[in-house]
Amino acid sequence: MSALTVLKFGGELLETDERRGAMATAIRRMAKRTSVVVVHGGGREVDADMAVHGIEKRAVDGLRITDAPTLDIVVGVLAGRVNTRLVATLGSIGVHAVGLTAADGDIASVRMAAPYAAADGATVDLGFVGQPTGGGSRLIEMLCAAGFVPVVASIGASDDGQLLNVNADTLAGHLAASLGADRLLIAGGTAGVLDPDGATIPAVDDALMDQLIGDGRASAGMVAKLVACRAAARSGVARVDIVTGKQTDNLDTSAGTRIEVPPVGGSESTES
Ligand SMILES: Nc1ncnc2c1ncn2[C@@H]1O[C@H](COP(=O)(O)OP(=O)(O)OP(=O)(O)O)[C@@H](O)[C@H]1O
Ligand SMILES: [Mg+2]
């Protein structure tokens, strides 16, 4: 697709009316210049609902280990509350948004993730977690061409109809690659990748990424983010940034980290 930005929001940017309003304004601003596909998480709200139901959270490198009761909560919170609320906020400022999951119109094909090789060397069964593998761009292209902004909750379905929880950064990276986006912009609660002193690391290349993940300076959700950014950059997404969504409603001027990983010729990597 020509001039397409995949814009991912961490759930904490979408919780309060004020933050969500600012992010909706950011989306509207960007959508005036380029096609925009929004992907969102909602990790903290899922955590809160799990606590209400007395379900313990387990995660590895930012990937939620998802048993059946956890999956029910993830689907309800992400595809239900978080997605519809953002679509409604966008509508209130004149942006015609369409709420979807990755299961709609084969936006992304997803299969149950293989046992995960964690940064600490352990191998972990993630349960009902989905790994995007392919998918079609037709529905997204139709929506964008008609002036709609697709808003995709990070839920997918396997070929045999099983709903699966997909990490939102993983899905955003996959969609950026599969849709041929020129830009992947991941907005979260921190000003990009931080060093142990709390300063933003301005740029991360392949070697630094391995160091950050290897020595634990990047952990939890940041590991999933970096790995997703690397996969997208390798697949040819020209510009990949991790920025804060907290300082401004103009994400082009947000402080953050540029991912500087070269494309790998002809690869359609969807590694996560
Ligand atoms: N070096 C680092 N720099 C910044 N954040 C880091 C770093 N290492 C670990 N983190 C953690 O990663 C978190 C971001 O990932 P997390 O999955 O929690 O949020 P998100 O992906 O933005 O939201 P969601 O999961 O709702 O989509 C940060 O809040 C921080 O706790
Ligand atoms: Mg996350």
Side-chain angles (χ1 to χ4, degrees), residues 8-11 41-43 168-169 188 190 192-194 217-219 221-222 225:
K8 186 264 173 173
F9 293 97
D169 295 302
T190 65
V193 188
L194 308 180
R217 277 179 287 164
S219 61
M222 188 51 71
K225 241 177 255 302

Side-chain angles (χ1 to χ4, degrees), residues 227-241:
V227 171
C229 286
R230 168 143 69 190
R234 282 184 177 162
S235 299
V237 181
R239 192 170 158 199
V240 179
D241 294 286

